[in-house]
PDB file of all heavy atoms in Angstrom:
ATOM      1  N   PRO A  34      -0.982 -74.514  10.023  1.00  0.00           N
ATOM      2  CA  PRO A  34      -2.254 -74.281  10.716  1.00  0.00           C
ATOM      3  C   PRO A  34      -3.116 -73.236  10.027  1.00  0.00           C
ATOM      4  O   PRO A  34      -2.598 -72.374   9.287  1.00  0.00           O
ATOM      5  CB  PRO A  34      -1.815 -73.801  12.106  1.00  0.00           C
ATOM      6  CG  PRO A  34      -0.403 -74.301  12.237  1.00  0.00           C
ATOM      7  CD  PRO A  34       0.172 -74.258  10.856  1.00  0.00           C
ATOM      8  N   GLU A  35      -4.387 -73.253  10.247  1.00  0.00           N
ATOM      9  CA  GLU A  35      -5.322 -72.287   9.685  1.00  0.00           C
ATOM     10  C   GLU A  35      -5.708 -71.271  10.731  1.00  0.00           C
ATOM     11  O   GLU A  35      -6.179 -71.631  11.804  1.00  0.00           O
ATOM     12  CB  GLU A  35      -6.564 -72.985   9.156  1.00  0.00           C
ATOM     13  CG  GLU A  35      -6.290 -73.966   8.030  1.00  0.00           C
ATOM     14  CD  GLU A  35      -7.557 -74.671   7.537  1.00  0.00           C
ATOM     15  OE1 GLU A  35      -8.623 -74.338   8.099  1.00  0.00           O
ATOM     16  OE2 GLU A  35      -7.473 -75.478   6.598  1.00  0.00           O
ATOM     17  N   PHE A  36      -5.519 -69.996  10.373  1.00  0.00           N
ATOM     18  CA  PHE A  36      -5.793 -68.885  11.308  1.00  0.00           C
ATOM     19  C   PHE A  36      -7.116 -68.255  10.912  1.00  0.00           C
ATOM     20  O   PHE A  36      -7.297 -67.809   9.755  1.00  0.00           O
ATOM     21  CB  PHE A  36      -4.663 -67.874  11.253  1.00  0.00           C
ATOM     22  CG  PHE A  36      -4.935 -66.612  12.006  1.00  0.00           C
ATOM     23  CD1 PHE A  36      -5.139 -66.588  13.383  1.00  0.00           C
ATOM     24  CD2 PHE A  36      -5.037 -65.390  11.316  1.00  0.00           C
ATOM     25  CE1 PHE A  36      -5.406 -65.425  14.044  1.00  0.00           C
ATOM     26  CE2 PHE A  36      -5.293 -64.227  12.007  1.00  0.00           C
ATOM     27  CZ  PHE A  36      -5.506 -64.241  13.364  1.00  0.00           C
ATOM     28  N   LEU A  37      -8.035 -68.135  11.862  1.00  0.00           N
ATOM     29  CA  LEU A  37      -9.327 -67.472  11.687  1.00  0.00           C
ATOM     30  C   LEU A  37      -9.322 -66.186  12.464  1.00  0.00           C
ATOM     31  O   LEU A  37      -9.436 -66.236  13.696  1.00  0.00           O
ATOM     32  CB  LEU A  37     -10.482 -68.391  12.133  1.00  0.00           C
ATOM     33  CG  LEU A  37     -11.896 -67.779  11.952  1.00  0.00           C
ATOM     34  CD1 LEU A  37     -12.182 -67.544  10.472  1.00  0.00           C
ATOM     35  CD2 LEU A  37     -12.929 -68.738  12.539  1.00  0.00           C
ATOM     36  N   PRO A  38      -9.193 -65.035  11.811  1.00  0.00           N
ATOM     37  CA  PRO A  38      -9.076 -63.758  12.544  1.00  0.00           C
ATOM     38  C   PRO A  38     -10.390 -63.407  13.198  1.00  0.00           C
ATOM     39  O   PRO A  38     -11.456 -63.871  12.806  1.00  0.00           O
ATOM     40  CB  PRO A  38      -8.685 -62.751  11.477  1.00  0.00           C
ATOM     41  CG  PRO A  38      -9.217 -63.347  10.189  1.00  0.00           C
ATOM     42  CD  PRO A  38      -9.088 -64.821  10.343  1.00  0.00           C
ATOM     43  N   PRO A  39     -10.361 -62.555  14.245  1.00  0.00           N
ATOM     44  CA  PRO A  39     -11.611 -62.145  14.915  1.00  0.00           C
ATOM     45  C   PRO A  39     -12.432 -61.213  14.010  1.00  0.00           C
ATOM     46  O   PRO A  39     -11.896 -60.535  13.138  1.00  0.00           O
ATOM     47  CB  PRO A  39     -11.115 -61.440  16.180  1.00  0.00           C
ATOM     48  CG  PRO A  39      -9.764 -60.918  15.791  1.00  0.00           C
ATOM     49  CD  PRO A  39      -9.160 -61.936  14.840  1.00  0.00           C
ATOM     50  N   GLU A  40     -13.703 -61.177  14.291  1.00  0.00           N
ATOM     51  CA  GLU A  40     -14.607 -60.255  13.575  1.00  0.00           C
ATOM     52  C   GLU A  40     -14.525 -58.889  14.261  1.00  0.00           C
ATOM     53  O   GLU A  40     -14.877 -58.734  15.414  1.00  0.00           O
ATOM     54  CB  GLU A  40     -16.024 -60.777  13.582  1.00  0.00           C
ATOM     55  CG  GLU A  40     -17.006 -59.871  12.860  1.00  0.00           C
ATOM     56  CD  GLU A  40     -18.416 -60.417  12.894  1.00  0.00           C
ATOM     57  OE1 GLU A  40     -18.615 -61.536  13.485  1.00  0.00           O
ATOM     58  OE2 GLU A  40     -19.333 -59.755  12.387  1.00  0.00           O
ATOM     59  N   LEU A  41     -14.029 -57.890  13.520  1.00  0.00           N
ATOM     60  CA  LEU A  41     -13.784 -56.579  14.062  1.00  0.00           C
ATOM     61  C   LEU A  41     -14.939 -55.693  13.720  1.00  0.00           C
ATOM     62  O   LEU A  41     -15.312 -55.490  12.577  1.00  0.00           O
ATOM     63  CB  LEU A  41     -12.462 -56.014  13.501  1.00  0.00           C
ATOM     64  CG  LEU A  41     -11.247 -56.846  13.761  1.00  0.00           C
ATOM     65  CD1 LEU A  41     -10.018 -56.194  13.080  1.00  0.00           C
ATOM     66  CD2 LEU A  41     -10.990 -56.990  15.241  1.00  0.00           C
ATOM     67  N   ARG A  42     -15.563 -55.085  14.754  1.00  0.00           N
ATOM     68  CA  ARG A  42     -16.629 -54.144  14.545  1.00  0.00           C
ATOM     69  C   ARG A  42     -16.200 -52.781  15.131  1.00  0.00           C
ATOM     70  O   ARG A  42     -15.773 -52.681  16.246  1.00  0.00           O
ATOM     71  CB  ARG A  42     -17.893 -54.641  15.290  1.00  0.00           C
ATOM     72  CG  ARG A  42     -18.453 -55.932  14.685  1.00  0.00           C
ATOM     73  CD  ARG A  42     -19.739 -56.334  15.414  1.00  0.00           C
ATOM     74  NE  ARG A  42     -20.276 -57.568  14.818  1.00  0.00           N
ATOM     75  CZ  ARG A  42     -21.409 -58.136  15.246  1.00  0.00           C
ATOM     76  NH1 ARG A  42     -22.110 -57.604  16.246  1.00  0.00           N
ATOM     77  NH2 ARG A  42     -21.833 -59.277  14.688  1.00  0.00           N
ATOM     78  N   GLY A  43     -16.383 -51.754  14.281  1.00  0.00           N
ATOM     79  CA  GLY A  43     -15.945 -50.449  14.698  1.00  0.00           C
ATOM     80  C   GLY A  43     -14.464 -50.222  14.558  1.00  0.00           C
ATOM     81  O   GLY A  43     -13.935 -49.233  15.109  1.00  0.00           O
ATOM     82  N   LEU A  44     -13.763 -51.123  13.863  1.00  0.00           N
ATOM     83  CA  LEU A  44     -12.327 -50.998  13.704  1.00  0.00           C
ATOM     84  C   LEU A  44     -11.965 -51.229  12.229  1.00  0.00           C
ATOM     85  O   LEU A  44     -12.536 -52.100  11.565  1.00  0.00           O
ATOM     86  CB  LEU A  44     -11.593 -52.041  14.574  1.00  0.00           C
ATOM     87  CG  LEU A  44     -11.699 -51.865  16.100  1.00  0.00           C
ATOM     88  CD1 LEU A  44     -11.204 -53.083  16.819  1.00  0.00           C
ATOM     89  CD2 LEU A  44     -10.940 -50.603  16.561  1.00  0.00           C
ATOM     90  N   LEU A  45     -10.972 -50.473  11.766  1.00  0.00           N
ATOM     91  CA  LEU A  45     -10.403 -50.689  10.433  1.00  0.00           C
ATOM     92  C   LEU A  45      -9.045 -51.348  10.635  1.00  0.00           C
ATOM     93  O   LEU A  45      -8.272 -50.977  11.527  1.00  0.00           O
ATOM     94  CB  LEU A  45     -10.243 -49.354   9.705  1.00  0.00           C
ATOM     95  CG  LEU A  45     -11.516 -48.559   9.504  1.00  0.00           C
ATOM     96  CD1 LEU A  45     -11.212 -47.233   8.793  1.00  0.00           C
ATOM     97  CD2 LEU A  45     -12.541 -49.363   8.669  1.00  0.00           C
ATOM     98  N   ALA A  46      -8.732 -52.363   9.809  1.00  0.00           N
ATOM     99  CA  ALA A  46      -7.524 -53.185  10.022  1.00  0.00           C
ATOM    100  C   ALA A  46      -6.643 -53.119   8.764  1.00  0.00           C
ATOM    101  O   ALA A  46      -7.105 -53.075   7.656  1.00  0.00           O
ATOM    102  CB  ALA A  46      -7.919 -54.602  10.324  1.00  0.00           C
ATOM    103  N   TYR A  47      -5.307 -53.162   9.031  1.00  0.00           N
ATOM    104  CA  TYR A  47      -4.279 -53.260   8.029  1.00  0.00           C
ATOM    105  C   TYR A  47      -3.263 -54.305   8.459  1.00  0.00           C
ATOM    106  O   TYR A  47      -2.893 -54.311   9.661  1.00  0.00           O
ATOM    107  CB  TYR A  47      -3.559 -51.925   7.809  1.00  0.00           C
ATOM    108  CG  TYR A  47      -4.434 -50.815   7.285  1.00  0.00           C
ATOM    109  CD1 TYR A  47      -5.088 -49.991   8.173  1.00  0.00           C
ATOM    110  CD2 TYR A  47      -4.568 -50.575   5.918  1.00  0.00           C
ATOM    111  CE1 TYR A  47      -5.903 -48.935   7.729  1.00  0.00           C
ATOM    112  CE2 TYR A  47      -5.347 -49.523   5.467  1.00  0.00           C
ATOM    113  CZ  TYR A  47      -6.017 -48.703   6.373  1.00  0.00           C
ATOM    114  OH  TYR A  47      -6.788 -47.700   5.908  1.00  0.00           O
ATOM    115  N   GLU A  48      -2.803 -55.134   7.548  1.00  0.00           N
ATOM    116  CA  GLU A  48      -1.735 -56.100   7.864  1.00  0.00           C
ATOM    117  C   GLU A  48      -0.389 -55.323   7.945  1.00  0.00           C
ATOM    118  O   GLU A  48      -0.057 -54.553   7.035  1.00  0.00           O
ATOM    119  CB  GLU A  48      -1.651 -57.178   6.816  1.00  0.00           C
ATOM    120  CG  GLU A  48      -2.902 -58.012   6.692  1.00  0.00           C
ATOM    121  CD  GLU A  48      -3.134 -58.876   7.921  1.00  0.00           C
ATOM    122  OE1 GLU A  48      -2.168 -59.121   8.660  1.00  0.00           O
ATOM    123  OE2 GLU A  48      -4.285 -59.300   8.149  1.00  0.00           O
ATOM    124  N   LEU A  49       0.351 -55.589   8.983  1.00  0.00           N
ATOM    125  CA  LEU A  49       1.622 -54.867   9.210  1.00  0.00           C
ATOM    126  C   LEU A  49       2.800 -55.797   8.905  1.00  0.00           C
ATOM    127  O   LEU A  49       2.923 -56.873   9.470  1.00  0.00           O
ATOM    128  CB  LEU A  49       1.734 -54.392  10.658  1.00  0.00           C
ATOM    129  CG  LEU A  49       0.959 -53.137  11.077  1.00  0.00           C
ATOM    130  CD1 LEU A  49       1.232 -52.784  12.518  1.00  0.00           C
ATOM    131  CD2 LEU A  49       1.400 -51.964  10.185  1.00  0.00           C
ATOM    132  N   GLY A  50       3.699 -55.328   8.024  1.00  0.00           N
ATOM    133  CA  GLY A  50       4.960 -55.983   7.771  1.00  0.00           C
ATOM    134  C   GLY A  50       4.772 -57.434   7.392  1.00  0.00           C
ATOM    135  O   GLY A  50       3.804 -57.874   6.833  1.00  0.00           O
ATOM    136  N   THR A  51       5.802 -58.209   7.733  1.00  0.00           N
ATOM    137  CA  THR A  51       5.843 -59.659   7.465  1.00  0.00           C
ATOM    138  C   THR A  51       5.920 -60.404   8.803  1.00  0.00           C
ATOM    139  O   THR A  51       6.390 -59.869   9.802  1.00  0.00           O
ATOM    140  CB  THR A  51       7.046 -60.025   6.587  1.00  0.00           C
ATOM    141  OG1 THR A  51       8.252 -59.603   7.283  1.00  0.00           O
ATOM    142  CG2 THR A  51       6.980 -59.350   5.247  1.00  0.00           C
ATOM    143  N   PRO A  52       5.422 -61.636   8.815  1.00  0.00           N
ATOM    144  CA  PRO A  52       5.457 -62.427  10.075  1.00  0.00           C
ATOM    145  C   PRO A  52       6.925 -62.547  10.544  1.00  0.00           C
ATOM    146  O   PRO A  52       7.863 -62.727   9.761  1.00  0.00           O
ATOM    147  CB  PRO A  52       4.845 -63.741   9.701  1.00  0.00           C
ATOM    148  CG  PRO A  52       4.015 -63.473   8.473  1.00  0.00           C
ATOM    149  CD  PRO A  52       4.714 -62.370   7.747  1.00  0.00           C
ATOM    150  N   ARG A  53       7.071 -62.495  11.888  1.00  0.00           N
ATOM    151  CA  ARG A  53       8.386 -62.652  12.531  1.00  0.00           C
ATOM    152  C   ARG A  53       8.524 -64.061  13.133  1.00  0.00           C
ATOM    153  O   ARG A  53       7.594 -64.574  13.718  1.00  0.00           O
ATOM    154  CB  ARG A  53       8.571 -61.628  13.632  1.00  0.00           C
ATOM    155  CG  ARG A  53       8.599 -60.185  13.122  1.00  0.00           C
ATOM    156  CD  ARG A  53       9.761 -59.924  12.186  1.00  0.00           C
ATOM    157  NE  ARG A  53       9.808 -58.540  11.781  1.00  0.00           N
ATOM    158  CZ  ARG A  53      10.573 -57.616  12.337  1.00  0.00           C
ATOM    159  NH1 ARG A  53      11.381 -57.959  13.322  1.00  0.00           N
ATOM    160  NH2 ARG A  53      10.572 -56.377  11.913  1.00  0.00           N
ATOM    161  N   ARG A  54       9.719 -64.646  12.916  1.00  0.00           N
ATOM    162  CA  ARG A  54      10.013 -65.941  13.470  1.00  0.00           C
ATOM    163  C   ARG A  54      11.065 -65.801  14.564  1.00  0.00           C
ATOM    164  O   ARG A  54      12.117 -65.194  14.299  1.00  0.00           O
ATOM    165  CB  ARG A  54      10.489 -66.925  12.364  1.00  0.00           C
ATOM    166  CG  ARG A  54      10.873 -68.291  12.906  1.00  0.00           C
ATOM    167  CD  ARG A  54      11.355 -69.150  11.750  1.00  0.00           C
ATOM    168  NE  ARG A  54      11.808 -70.469  12.236  1.00  0.00           N
ATOM    169  CZ  ARG A  54      12.335 -71.393  11.442  1.00  0.00           C
ATOM    170  NH1 ARG A  54      12.480 -71.152  10.133  1.00  0.00           N
ATOM    171  NH2 ARG A  54      12.732 -72.558  11.950  1.00  0.00           N
ATOM    172  N   VAL A  55      10.797 -66.345  15.711  1.00  0.00           N
ATOM    173  CA  VAL A  55      11.723 -66.255  16.831  1.00  0.00           C
ATOM    174  C   VAL A  55      12.281 -67.655  17.137  1.00  0.00           C
ATOM    175  O   VAL A  55      11.507 -68.619  17.199  1.00  0.00           O
ATOM    176  CB  VAL A  55      11.033 -65.644  18.096  1.00  0.00           C
ATOM    177  CG1 VAL A  55      12.013 -65.559  19.259  1.00  0.00           C
ATOM    178  CG2 VAL A  55      10.425 -64.303  17.782  1.00  0.00           C
ATOM    179  N   ALA A  56      13.548 -67.745  17.334  1.00  0.00           N
ATOM    180  CA  ALA A  56      14.221 -69.026  17.570  1.00  0.00           C
ATOM    181  C   ALA A  56      13.645 -69.694  18.806  1.00  0.00           C
ATOM    182  O   ALA A  56      13.118 -69.028  19.709  1.00  0.00           O
ATOM    183  CB  ALA A  56      15.721 -68.822  17.731  1.00  0.00           C
ATOM    184  N   PRO A  57      13.692 -71.018  18.889  1.00  0.00           N
ATOM    185  CA  PRO A  57      13.124 -71.740  20.064  1.00  0.00           C
ATOM    186  C   PRO A  57      13.738 -71.250  21.339  1.00  0.00           C
ATOM    187  O   PRO A  57      14.959 -71.032  21.455  1.00  0.00           O
ATOM    188  CB  PRO A  57      13.449 -73.172  19.745  1.00  0.00           C
ATOM    189  CG  PRO A  57      13.630 -73.252  18.273  1.00  0.00           C
ATOM    190  CD  PRO A  57      14.207 -71.919  17.875  1.00  0.00           C
ATOM    191  N   ARG A  58      12.882 -71.065  22.289  1.00  0.00           N
ATOM    192  CA  ARG A  58      13.302 -70.745  23.661  1.00  0.00           C
ATOM    193  C   ARG A  58      12.220 -71.197  24.619  1.00  0.00           C
ATOM    194  O   ARG A  58      11.140 -71.585  24.222  1.00  0.00           O
ATOM    195  CB  ARG A  58      13.598 -69.246  23.822  1.00  0.00           C
ATOM    196  CG  ARG A  58      12.409 -68.333  23.628  1.00  0.00           C
ATOM    197  CD  ARG A  58      12.826 -66.900  23.871  1.00  0.00           C
ATOM    198  NE  ARG A  58      11.693 -65.997  23.753  1.00  0.00           N
ATOM    199  CZ  ARG A  58      11.768 -64.666  23.952  1.00  0.00           C
ATOM    200  NH1 ARG A  58      12.949 -64.101  24.211  1.00  0.00           N
ATOM    201  NH2 ARG A  58      10.681 -63.943  23.832  1.00  0.00           N
ATOM    202  N   SER A  59      12.525 -71.059  25.893  1.00  0.00           N
ATOM    203  CA  SER A  59      11.650 -71.596  26.925  1.00  0.00           C
ATOM    204  C   SER A  59      10.522 -70.611  27.253  1.00  0.00           C
ATOM    205  O   SER A  59      10.765 -69.418  27.451  1.00  0.00           O
ATOM    206  CB  SER A  59      12.433 -71.882  28.192  1.00  0.00           C
ATOM    207  OG  SER A  59      11.572 -72.381  29.204  1.00  0.00           O
ATOM    208  N   TYR A  60       9.289 -71.157  27.205  1.00  0.00           N
ATOM    209  CA  TYR A  60       8.063 -70.406  27.580  1.00  0.00           C
ATOM    210  C   TYR A  60       7.249 -71.273  28.459  1.00  0.00           C
ATOM    211  O   TYR A  60       6.764 -72.338  28.081  1.00  0.00           O
ATOM    212  CB  TYR A  60       7.222 -70.015  26.331  1.00  0.00           C
ATOM    213  CG  TYR A  60       7.919 -69.118  25.365  1.00  0.00           C
ATOM    214  CD1 TYR A  60       8.551 -69.687  24.240  1.00  0.00           C
ATOM    215  CD2 TYR A  60       7.933 -67.760  25.496  1.00  0.00           C
ATOM    216  CE1 TYR A  60       9.175 -68.874  23.315  1.00  0.00           C
ATOM    217  CE2 TYR A  60       8.562 -66.939  24.603  1.00  0.00           C
ATOM    218  CZ  TYR A  60       9.169 -67.503  23.517  1.00  0.00           C
ATOM    219  OH  TYR A  60       9.777 -66.688  22.595  1.00  0.00           O
ATOM    220  N   GLY A  61       7.081 -70.834  29.739  1.00  0.00           N
ATOM    221  CA  GLY A  61       6.189 -71.549  30.674  1.00  0.00           C
ATOM    222  C   GLY A  61       6.569 -73.004  30.868  1.00  0.00           C
ATOM    223  O   GLY A  61       5.662 -73.860  30.919  1.00  0.00           O
ATOM    224  N   GLY A  62       7.841 -73.317  30.978  1.00  0.00           N
ATOM    225  CA  GLY A  62       8.236 -74.659  31.203  1.00  0.00           C
ATOM    226  C   GLY A  62       8.419 -75.538  29.979  1.00  0.00           C
ATOM    227  O   GLY A  62       8.794 -76.675  30.064  1.00  0.00           O
ATOM    228  N   GLY A  63       8.170 -74.989  28.793  1.00  0.00           N
ATOM    229  CA  GLY A  63       8.356 -75.723  27.554  1.00  0.00           C
ATOM    230  C   GLY A  63       9.153 -74.922  26.541  1.00  0.00           C
ATOM    231  O   GLY A  63       9.279 -73.698  26.666  1.00  0.00           O
ATOM    232  N   THR A  64       9.748 -75.610  25.581  1.00  0.00           N
ATOM    233  CA  THR A  64      10.507 -74.928  24.537  1.00  0.00           C
ATOM    234  C   THR A  64       9.668 -74.823  23.287  1.00  0.00           C
ATOM    235  O   THR A  64       9.145 -75.866  22.797  1.00  0.00           O
ATOM    236  CB  THR A  64      11.802 -75.744  24.258  1.00  0.00           C
ATOM    237  OG1 THR A  64      12.552 -75.869  25.476  1.00  0.00           O
ATOM    238  CG2 THR A  64      12.618 -75.026  23.210  1.00  0.00           C
ATOM    239  N   PHE A  65       9.509 -73.586  22.800  1.00  0.00           N
ATOM    240  CA  PHE A  65       8.660 -73.324  21.665  1.00  0.00           C
ATOM    241  C   PHE A  65       9.371 -72.455  20.638  1.00  0.00           C
ATOM    242  O   PHE A  65      10.221 -71.612  21.004  1.00  0.00           O
ATOM    243  CB  PHE A  65       7.341 -72.604  22.077  1.00  0.00           C
ATOM    244  CG  PHE A  65       6.445 -73.462  22.948  1.00  0.00           C
ATOM    245  CD1 PHE A  65       6.572 -73.390  24.344  1.00  0.00           C
ATOM    246  CD2 PHE A  65       5.516 -74.268  22.416  1.00  0.00           C
ATOM    247  CE1 PHE A  65       5.759 -74.135  25.147  1.00  0.00           C
ATOM    248  CE2 PHE A  65       4.679 -75.025  23.227  1.00  0.00           C
ATOM    249  CZ  PHE A  65       4.832 -74.955  24.607  1.00  0.00           C
TER     250      PHE A  65
END
């Protein structure tokens, strides 16, 4: 998927660490 980040005004941004992957589990009646 393609991620389009929000336009930040008045904020300075830094990418933190590496993306985390969480094993499938139930969220709101579905497994994700």
Side-chain angles (χ1 to χ4, degrees):
E35 296 180 0
F36 170 64
L37 181 62
E40 181 181 357
L41 301 177
R42 296 183 179 180
L44 295 168
L45 302 177
Y47 297 89
E48 298 293 338
L49 280 181
T51 58
R53 297 297 183 98
R54 177 181 177 183
V55 181
R58 64 178 182 178
S59 177
Y60 297 97
T64 302
F65 295 91

